[in-house]
Amino acid sequence: MNLEKQEISFDDSNEFFDRLIQVAVFKEASDIHILPWKEKVTVQFRLYWELTTLYTFPTELFQKINNTVKIRALMDISEQNHVQDGKIFMQVNVNSKSTWVNLRVSTLPTLNGENIVIRVLVTSSKFLNIESLGFTSQISSLLKNAAQINEWLILVCGGTWSWKTTTLYAMLNEFDPSKKAIFTLENPVEYVVDWYVQSQIHIVNGDSKSLNSYTFTEWLIGILRQDPDVIMIGEMRRKSETETCLEAANTGHIVMGTIHANSAIWVIARIRQFDIPSYLIASSLKYIACQKMVKVLCENCKVSHEMTKNDLPEKYAKHVKAEKLNAFVNNPAGCEKCSNWYSGRAVLAEVIKVDTTIYKFILDNGWEDDIRNYLLKK
């Protein structure tokens, strides 16, 4: 078996799967897509937010790898007509170093077989501390200061693959677990940490009323009875769970979570859409972070390029004082050290600390534009 070739074959599907995960971790892929087509099966890695086809193999081998993935993810191999989710926790060796990997597996029935997507999460990630995430010193300081509070709500927003949960875990690691009872509630759990009390929402066959199923709100209420200091939740999606989180943050708990919004300021509007009273938002919300991950040009082959202020879009140019700028562009030829001219990631972020003025804006149902203008002046 040689995974370096575009067209591959294998005899042992377990060995092939192990090698596939090893390559994905080595290349820092965030997802693996195994797509059954009519005449072949394609394996794609998501590298720096773009899908790249690495391998193809004959369709007659697909059922082997499909069964292997589903068995190891504790999924039903006899069920091929419904969406299934599972997870695999395994150890791989990369560069002579052993690494634990958490795999989130999803299968979807298609015309040519079940499409398989695997989210790859390295649990011993070097990024699980704030200093390693690439924030500016000012933003890092704000996020680290969040560990000094004793209550309130901290929210992180951003798009898919923006590492929101990674930022939350990095913030959790600022707390001393010997002095703070730290609970997490996710679906699924993305990073496994021994010294946290971690729970995963469990709904049987989509039936939240089953005796073996619990809704998010029910589980969160259960955690509140466990005398927590810090609660991290995967995502706030509905009014009931958002209200429960706000109330918990208003009664002596630190609550941290993610929410979908396009900017830190619009998180406030997003919560208002849930019909939450303004007094509860104002009295609970303390920090809002918004982040986006971007690709970085390869340091080995990028090319120096001089540009002028006028080359920039007007909305950026007005903030630039220098007329000439030293910049870099990609080298079309690339090199052996990069993936299509890129190597590495950088984070673009904004953090709002709710002060007295913003508290009053929220309490008085002030417009988000008013808050933005205040922050820009500040």
Side-chain angles (χ1 to χ4, degrees), residues 1-8 19 23 26-27 54-55:
M1 180 180 66
N2 186 353
L3 289 183
E4 298 307 316
K5 295 181 179 179
Q6 187 68 23
E7 295 183 6
I8 61 173
R19 179 72 176 129
V23 173
F26 174 75
K27 289 183 174 290
L54 270 72
Y55 317 118

Side-chain angles (χ1 to χ4, degrees), residues 2-164:
N2 186 353
L3 289 183
E4 298 307 316
K5 295 181 179 179
Q6 187 68 23
E7 295 183 6
I8 61 173
S9 183
F10 54 87
D11 296 319
D12 187 325
S13 57
N14 274 290
E15 180 188 342
F16 169 71
F17 179 76
D18 289 342
R19 179 72 176 129
L20 194 64
I21 302 304
Q22 187 178 33
V23 173
V25 174
F26 174 75
K27 289 183 174 290
E28 296 187 352
S30 62
D31 300 85
I32 303 169
H33 292 239
I34 304 177
L35 299 84
W37 293 355
K38 189 173 182 180
E39 298 179 351
K40 62 182 178 181
V41 179
T42 300
V43 179
Q44 298 177 326
F45 285 6
R46 189 173 292 280
L47 303 170
Y48 306 114
W49 303 279
E50 291 183 357
L51 285 175
T52 301
T53 299
L54 270 72
Y55 317 118
T56 62
F57 57 84
T59 54
E60 54 265 27
L61 295 176
F62 175 72
Q63 202 55 49
K64 277 188 176 182
I65 189 65
N66 189 33
N67 287 344
T68 294
V69 171
K70 292 173 79 172
I71 288 171
R72 293 175 70 162
L74 302 179
M75 297 158 74
D76 186 353
I77 63 171
S78 66
E79 179 56 74
Q80 299 182 5
N81 296 315
H82 290 89
V83 174
Q84 291 193 67
D85 294 297
K87 64 180 180 178
I88 304 170
F89 194 53
M90 61 183 287
Q91 197 171 19
V92 298
N93 290 309
V94 178
N95 295 329
S96 302
K97 183 180 179 180
S98 181
T99 303
W100 283 99
V101 183
N102 189 3
L103 307 174
R104 290 161 46 183
V105 182
S106 172
T107 62
L108 178 75
T110 71
L111 292 176
N112 299 313
E114 291 180 279
N115 197 65
I116 304 170
V117 176
I118 303 169
R119 171 64 59 89
V120 181
L121 295 159
V122 180
T123 59
S124 56
S125 176
K126 62 183 177 181
F127 297 110
L128 292 186
N129 63 79
I130 290 173
E131 289 81 2
S132 298
L133 289 173
F135 292 115
T136 63
S137 57
Q138 184 182 17
I139 286 181
S140 293
S141 178
L142 276 171
L143 295 178
K144 289 172 75 71
N145 285 341
Q148 307 304 316
I149 65 177
N150 293 314
E151 57 183 346
W152 290 313
L153 177 66
I154 302 167
L155 292 177
V156 179
C157 72
T160 307
W161 306 301
S162 62
W163 290 24
K164 300 185 294 294

Side-chain angles (χ1 to χ4, degrees), residues 152-155 246 249 267-268 271 280-288 354 362:
W152 290 313
L153 177 66
I154 302 167
L155 292 177
L246 289 165
V267 165
I268 299 168
I271 298 176
L280 189 54
I281 303 173
S283 61
S284 305
L285 196 55
K286 192 62 178 179
Y287 286 92
I288 313 170
V354 177
I362 298 173

Side-chain angles (χ1 to χ4, degrees), residues 144 146-149 170-182 195-196 229-230 254:
K144 289 172 75 71
Q148 307 304 316
I149 65 177
M171 293 176 70
L172 282 181
N173 284 339
E174 292 296 315
F175 295 95
D176 184 347
S178 67
K179 297 180 180 179
K180 298 285 186 181
I182 301 172
W195 49 90
Y196 299 162
D229 294 299
V230 185
I254 302 169

